[in-house]
Amino acid sequence: MDLVPALEEPLTQPLKSVLGPATAKVMAEHLGLHTVGDLLHHYPRRYEERGQLTHLADLPMDEHVTVVAQVADARLHTFASSRAPRGKGQRLEVTITDGSGRLQLVFFGAGVHKPHKELLPGTRAMFAGKVSVFNRRLQLAHPAYELLRGDSEETVETWAGALIPLYPATAKLESWKIGKAVQTVLPSAQEAVDPLPDSLRAGRGLVSLPEALLKIHRPHTKADIADARARLKWDEAFVLQVALARRRYADAQLPAVPRLPKPDGLLTAFDDRLPFTLTEGQQKVSKEIFDDLATDHPMHRLLQGEVGSGKTMVALRAMLAVVDAGGQAAMLAPTEVLAQQHHRSVTEMMGDLAQGGMLGGAEHATKVVLLTGSMGTAARRQALLDLATGEAGIVIGTHALIEDKVQFHDLGLVVVDEQHRFGVEQRDALRGKGKQPPHLLVMTATPIPRTVAMTVFGDLETSVLDQLPAGRSPIASHVVPAADKPHFLARAWERVREEVAKGHQAYVVCPRIGDEEEDPKKAGKKKAPEDEADKRPPLAVLDVAEQLRGGPLKGLTVEVLHGRMQPDDKDAVMRRFAAGDTDVLVATTVIEVGVNVPNATVMVIMDADRFGVSQLHQLRGRVGRGSAPGLCLLVSEMPEASAARQRLNAVASTLDGFELSRIDLEQRREGDVLGQAQSGARSSLRVLAVIEDEEIIAEAREEATTLVESDPELTGLPGLRTALDALLDEEREQYLEKG
């Protein structure tokens, strides 16, 4: 993070004698570590105490793990296979234990000789590998290992006394090799320049940065680790919050045109026709937005709300207010299906108010145009003309809105739907189309805990819609354990038939399309015996639709929808489903956001364990949108005790998206919170856990805001400026804005 010349040295040069080019290459390619500073900021994930063993009982599936354990027994088997037809194949099975559980290790072929000699019963070692399941038992196939000889001076020295640091590792580079490399560069930690202001560090009793780096990599006691982590958490929280505070400060200096709705204009006409009253939440959030629109610097607001809480209604009223004030509003949607859906629902909600300049248009009407990449030339030309002349007050579109050809008469408001799908360049390109910076409203249906919002969207003010409008029906959710109880799955298809018999419709969601070409490189390879236990590929839309048509849903009209279909075909399928002509729609997550068919009451999600918690919550929000209650069935073959099933149980047990997003984060690793925006090695959160460290994030935000207001250029803090440059270099603003 805080890289100065000594810490900027590439790993390949000063350490040729120690790391070797091969190790440096693996570090760069697989861990994103390029310099001495990067390696010093690659912190241990946890520590092992000599004499205290890891819990084998808690191993996560499909992850690279490092465990310290003792060999209980080792057996060499011979077997016949395609490679060794005369029974000459060899397999070494080693059972290790740590008192809490047992784990099987397997080695094949020529790889059995060394471990057969070294892994004798009673031997203690560190083992690293990927956890898989074979014959319903956990195993590590061909793990790397390092023997722990307690009396060897060298081992004790290498593993830093009593506490063994275990580093986030990869299949190509085990934790102990990373540990040895870190020991080599540790003297450079003395050169690290401190990013925290002295007054802040002293006021909070934090150790210096060089001391923190030394203590995190070579702790002698648990107190050392606690000191180091407390200090490094502050670094991460504070540097990130300063970056966000500077962005807020810079935005507040920009000029914008205040947009005040006319007293008896388009917004009033729209409100007068609404067949229902806005919820308290919608009224409160609308007021926050209108207050922002009335100021002379650009609004930057995040509107987050549960699926179906009426965000589109709030956004539409903001757009109408801007049109009233003489400006134009643009709504950016991530997919064509969603852009068309928004266009349809907005024009339906507005009625003749959306027919400006047309016969039959109302008095205050404006024109609402759609702009997507697949539109015909004539329609596209007309839409572009309407935008340039100001005839169209509202435009709804996809990335096509960002192209150079698109010119606005007076762009006053940009509404971005599903922010996490847009990069900063796209957001800024659209904002650049205004004569002055337009106001910005970002919407997301993925509920975000407050601290994550402060960390990811810290440059935006946040509004939350947590009330569902009247008339929305409850959704019941159940897990269907297809492997343990196949009759539950049969019952699920019966439920679909029952709903269709009542005149309703159903969604079936699958993780994959099913027309993917098999990679010829992979196809040619014979699977090694240890790979045979790999999981089957995820269920596919095309296969499942075929099976349902000929089997449990025979006689019903079943259609498919996925992202690789032609836009016109997608729209036609969606129209037929919305009109009630299709009983069952088998789709990918293309229906995840914005699709609104009130008559659809049941959703069956196949291989539900392959989706994330928020994604399942999003998908589930597609049913129960009318007066009939919704039903969501989460089908999974994962065993009951698995983490995946616990995740599904959590989704089934609550409809509160904010609660689910907390569960989701608690189950994920620290660095996942900010998604791909965090992929850069230097800029990821390594010790800051967004949910656990709420207080630090809130305090860091206050400190950062105060600092930036008094010294926006950070003139007296060269260390902090260096840290910011490192945080913002490659992924610069994307990191802050992708969300």
Side-chain angles (χ1 to χ4, degrees), residues 348-415:
E348 278 167 17
M349 283 197 268
M350 287 175 65
D352 58 5
L353 291 172
Q355 294 170 7
M358 300 182 220
L359 224 59
E363 182 193 348
H364 299 288
T366 186
K367 206 169 186 181
V368 180
V369 299
L370 176 69
L371 189 63
T372 63
S374 64
M375 280 168 72
T377 317
R380 190 181 171 77
R381 194 178 297 127
Q382 184 59 51
L384 290 172
L385 185 66
D386 288 342
L387 288 178
T389 59
E391 185 82 10
I394 294 177
V395 58
I396 295 168
T398 54
H399 297 80
L401 279 177
I402 296 167
E403 290 169 13
D404 291 343
K405 294 193 197 85
V406 182
Q407 298 295 326
F408 287 86
H409 177 64
D410 179 12
L411 181 61
L413 170 67
V414 174
V415 178

Side-chain angles (χ1 to χ4, degrees), residues 250-269:
D251 282 336
Q253 311 309 309
L254 292 172
V257 180
R259 308 282 179 175
L260 292 152
K262 287 203 272 285
D264 297 316
L266 182 56
L267 179 62
T268 310

Side-chain angles (χ1 to χ4, degrees), residues 125-136:
M126 299 216 294
F127 301 92
K130 190 173 182 181
V131 183
S132 58
V133 170
F134 185 69
N135 283 346
R136 298 187 82 89

Side-chain angles (χ1 to χ4, degrees), residues 313-380:
M313 172 60 72
V314 168
L316 175 56
R317 293 183 72 246
M319 294 198 288
L320 296 175
V322 169
V323 174
D324 254 354
Q328 289 169 294
M331 184 183 232
L332 191 57
T335 64
E336 296 214 348
V337 167
L338 192 52
Q340 286 159 342
Q341 185 89 33
H342 275 318
H343 182 254
R344 250 198 312 278
S345 61
V346 163
T347 46
E348 278 167 17
M349 283 197 268
M350 287 175 65
D352 58 5
L353 291 172
Q355 294 170 7
M358 300 182 220
L359 224 59
E363 182 193 348
H364 299 288
T366 186
K367 206 169 186 181
V368 180
V369 299
L370 176 69
L371 189 63
T372 63
S374 64
M375 280 168 72
T377 317
R380 190 181 171 77

Side-chain angles (χ1 to χ4, degrees), residues 390-513:
E391 185 82 10
I394 294 177
V395 58
I396 295 168
T398 54
H399 297 80
L401 279 177
I402 296 167
E403 290 169 13
D404 291 343
K405 294 193 197 85
V406 182
Q407 298 295 326
F408 287 86
H409 177 64
D410 179 12
L411 181 61
L413 170 67
V414 174
V415 178
V416 179
D417 192 19
E418 287 310 317
Q419 157 72 8
H420 59 278
R421 310 213 179 173
F422 289 104
V424 56
E425 301 89 346
Q426 293 150 325
R427 206 164 98 172
D428 279 350
L430 191 49
R431 278 164 57 180
K433 292 190 176 291
K435 294 187 175 67
Q436 282 192 312
H439 298 281
L440 175 72
L441 180 65
V442 170
M443 300 199 294
T444 176
T446 310
I448 307 167
R450 179 175 146 269
T451 43
V452 180
M454 276 175 22
T455 309
V456 186
F457 296 106
D459 61 330
L460 303 173
E461 297 299 323
T462 305
S463 293
V464 177
L465 274 176
D466 46 14
Q467 269 178 304
L468 288 189
R472 287 292 302 242
S473 303
I475 305 171
S477 307
H478 302 285
V479 178
V480 178
D484 311 347
K485 299 180 177 163
H487 60 286
F488 275 39
L489 183 58
R491 176 72 188 113
W493 300 126
E494 279 174 27
R495 283 291 290 116
V496 170
R497 296 192 81 99
E498 287 165 13
E499 286 298 310
V500 172
K502 290 182 198 165
H504 297 307
Q505 292 159 279
Y507 296 102
V508 177
V509 181
C510 306
R512 161 177 98 86
I513 297 172

Side-chain angles (χ1 to χ4, degrees), residues 660-677:
L660 282 176
S661 62
R662 288 186 75 91
I663 293 170
D664 193 16
L665 283 178
E666 282 162 4
Q667 290 188 343
R668 292 202 239 164
R669 285 260 144 74
E670 318 76 89
D672 290 349
V673 171
L674 308 185
Q676 291 168 333

Side-chain angles (χ1 to χ4, degrees), residues 385-661:
L385 185 66
D386 288 342
L387 288 178
T389 59
E391 185 82 10
I394 294 177
V395 58
I396 295 168
T398 54
H399 297 80
L401 279 177
I402 296 167
E403 290 169 13
D404 291 343
K405 294 193 197 85
V406 182
Q407 298 295 326
F408 287 86
H409 177 64
D410 179 12
L411 181 61
L413 170 67
V414 174
V415 178
V416 179
D417 192 19
E418 287 310 317
Q419 157 72 8
H420 59 278
R421 310 213 179 173
F422 289 104
V424 56
E425 301 89 346
Q426 293 150 325
R427 206 164 98 172
D428 279 350
L430 191 49
R431 278 164 57 180
K433 292 190 176 291
K435 294 187 175 67
Q436 282 192 312
H439 298 281
L440 175 72
L441 180 65
V442 170
M443 300 199 294
T444 176
T446 310
I448 307 167
R450 179 175 146 269
T451 43
V452 180
M454 276 175 22
T455 309
V456 186
F457 296 106
D459 61 330
L460 303 173
E461 297 299 323
T462 305
S463 293
V464 177
L465 274 176
D466 46 14
Q467 269 178 304
L468 288 189
R472 287 292 302 242
S473 303
I475 305 171
S477 307
H478 302 285
V479 178
V480 178
D484 311 347
K485 299 180 177 163
H487 60 286
F488 275 39
L489 183 58
R491 176 72 188 113
W493 300 126
E494 279 174 27
R495 283 291 290 116
V496 170
R497 296 192 81 99
E498 287 165 13
E499 286 298 310
V500 172
K502 290 182 198 165
H504 297 307
Q505 292 159 279
Y507 296 102
V508 177
V509 181
C510 306
R512 161 177 98 86
I513 297 172
D515 60 357
E516 297 87 354
E517 296 276 313
E518 184 163 3
D519 186 337
K521 288 183 195 149
K522 289 181 190 163
K525 282 187 189 170
K526 271 253 172 48
K527 281 202 167 180
E530 65 269 23
D531 292 338
E532 293 298 341
D534 273 3
K535 293 192 291 196
R536 62 163 173 73
L539 291 171
V541 166
L542 300 175
D543 305 340
V544 168
E546 207 46 49
Q547 287 160 11
L548 292 176
R549 283 189 192 112
L553 302 185
K554 200 171 179 177
L556 304 186
T557 51
V558 176
E559 289 212 64
V560 299
L561 180 72
H562 59 74
R564 277 213 284 278
M565 289 164 62
Q566 290 300 316
D568 290 353
D569 297 344
K570 273 194 278 200
D571 199 40
V573 168
M574 232 18 259
R575 278 178 191 279
R576 284 196 293 274
F577 189 65
D581 301 339
T582 306
D583 298 323
V584 179
L585 186 62
V586 183
T588 55
T589 53
V590 72
I591 61 154
E592 180 186 347
V593 283
V595 172
N596 184 23
V597 180
N599 191 43
T601 53
V602 60
M603 175 177 284
V604 182
I605 303 179
M606 309 302 291
D607 279 346
D609 48 274
R610 312 256 181 162
F611 298 95
V613 169
S614 349
Q615 205 172 22
L616 291 169
H617 183 59
Q618 280 282 71
L619 286 165
R620 167 170 67 184
R622 301 300 111 215
V623 295
R625 298 176 81 85
S627 51
L631 173 66
C632 177
L633 301 173
L634 306 166
V635 180
S636 171
E637 290 184 2
M638 293 302 277
E640 195 164 350
S642 62
R645 271 285 285 283
Q646 287 164 15
R647 226 176 41 234
L648 295 181
N649 291 339
V651 174
S653 68
T654 177
L655 289 174
D656 180 343
F658 289 92
E659 179 56 31
L660 282 176
S661 62

